[in-house]
Amino acid sequence: LLGRMGYIKRKCSKAGKISLPDFKEIQENFLADIQAEVVMNEVPPELIFNWDQTALHLVSTGQWTMHRAGEKVITISNSDDKRQVTAVFAATLIGDFLAPQIIYKGKTQCSHPKVSVPSGWDLWHSDNHWSNEETMKRYVEKIVVPYLDARRVALKLSKSHPALAIFDCFCGQTTPVFLSLLKGHNIVSMQVPTALIGYSHWTSLLISLSKMT
């Protein structure tokens, strides 16, 4: 069927790669879009923030060992341990770090560790410890909104003053329900273009963003 429609099958392992000039153009357009939102909504740097998810090993692993010279077989302890949790971290343009959300594997709060954590942290769970739409909705309600409310008070801004969230295209945070939740809390969302994710030039994007404001 695809052949009759004129499609061909080929490997596309390099399809996601872009040239540096293309990257620069996408970067500049993205920064221009952010600049427009900042100016139009009068968003201060304190209310501009970025979040991302990362996997954390429960048991530390590594590839370095110390052994006697000449030994042929070296065992790397715990190198194959797959146990992880997911953490969601966020930081503002002025360098403030929001409390993290830590997601454990489980169906109830019985899966949470019996330890004390700093005030404001959110320990939660999902079937596979991965972040999803439900955990992200909780993250916004438990972590992001309280932070923004306190910041607005400190800056003597109205409770409805816009904030700006920058995040990638992870499916759990790009659903209509989730984006509607952000909008309901007066949070403007900016999604990082796919072409800008995972490149070493990402640092230059952050530097440009900090200079912009």
Side-chain angles (χ1 to χ4, degrees):
L1 174 61
L2 293 177
R4 292 199 300 270
M5 294 173 63
Y7 288 89
I8 59 175
K9 181 180 179 181
R10 65 175 57 175
K11 292 184 178 180
C12 52
S13 59
K14 297 182 180 180
K17 295 185 178 182
I18 61 173
S19 65
L20 183 58
D22 289 340
F23 177 91
K24 289 295 185 181
E25 180 180 357
I26 296 172
Q27 178 190 42
E28 290 172 1
N29 291 338
F30 182 53
L31 289 171
D33 291 341
I34 294 176
Q35 178 69 40
E37 292 290 351
V38 169
V39 172
M40 182 171 59
N41 292 293
E42 299 181 345
V43 185
E46 292 85 349
L47 300 185
I48 301 174
F49 61 103
N50 163 249
W51 72 59
D52 202 2
Q53 297 84 8
T54 187
L56 301 176
H57 285 278
L58 290 175
V59 178
S60 297
T61 62
Q63 299 300 316
W64 291 92
T65 65
M66 182 174 289
H67 56 88
R68 295 181 181 277
E71 291 184 355
K72 302 299 183 180
V73 179
I74 308 300
T75 301
I76 303 178
S77 179
N78 301 321
S79 63
D80 59 347
D81 195 296
K82 304 297 184 182
R83 290 171 294 176
Q84 296 178 334
V85 296
T86 295
V88 186
F89 296 108
T92 70
L93 197 55
I94 65 169
D96 283 348
F97 288 92
L98 280 65
Q101 180 187 63
I102 310 296
I103 306 171
Y104 292 83
K105 180 179 180 179
K107 296 182 180 296
T108 69
Q109 295 188 42
C110 292
S111 60
H112 300 186
K114 303 299 188 291
V115 297
S116 298
V117 297
S119 176
W121 286 36
D122 182 44
L123 302 187
W124 203 236
H125 53 269
S126 69
D127 289 346
N128 49 19
H129 84 71
W130 295 343
S131 183
N132 55 41
E133 181 186 71
E134 292 304 316
T135 63
M136 286 307 300
K137 287 163 58 179
R138 179 183 172 88
Y139 175 72
V140 169
E141 297 285 3
K142 297 289 185 178
I143 304 294
V144 174
V145 170
Y147 173 85
L148 294 179
D149 287 346
R151 266 299 177 181
R152 288 176 178 127
V153 171
L155 295 171
K156 298 180 179 180
L157 299 173
S158 69
K159 293 182 178 180
S160 61
H161 194 92
L164 177 63
I166 302 172
F167 49 86
D168 62 25
C169 53
F170 162 56
C171 60
Q173 59 195 21
T174 55
T175 65
V177 172
F178 182 76
L179 296 178
S180 178
L181 175 66
L182 294 182
K183 185 176 181 180
H185 287 294
N186 301 295
I187 301 172
V188 179
S189 59
M190 295 290 296
Q191 295 177 29
V192 179
T194 304
L196 300 185
I197 298 173
Y199 272 76
S200 59
H201 318 303
W202 176 242
T203 301
S204 67
L205 175 63
L206 298 180
I207 293 174
S208 299
L209 180 57
S210 64
K211 291 180 178 179
M212 180 187 72
T213 55

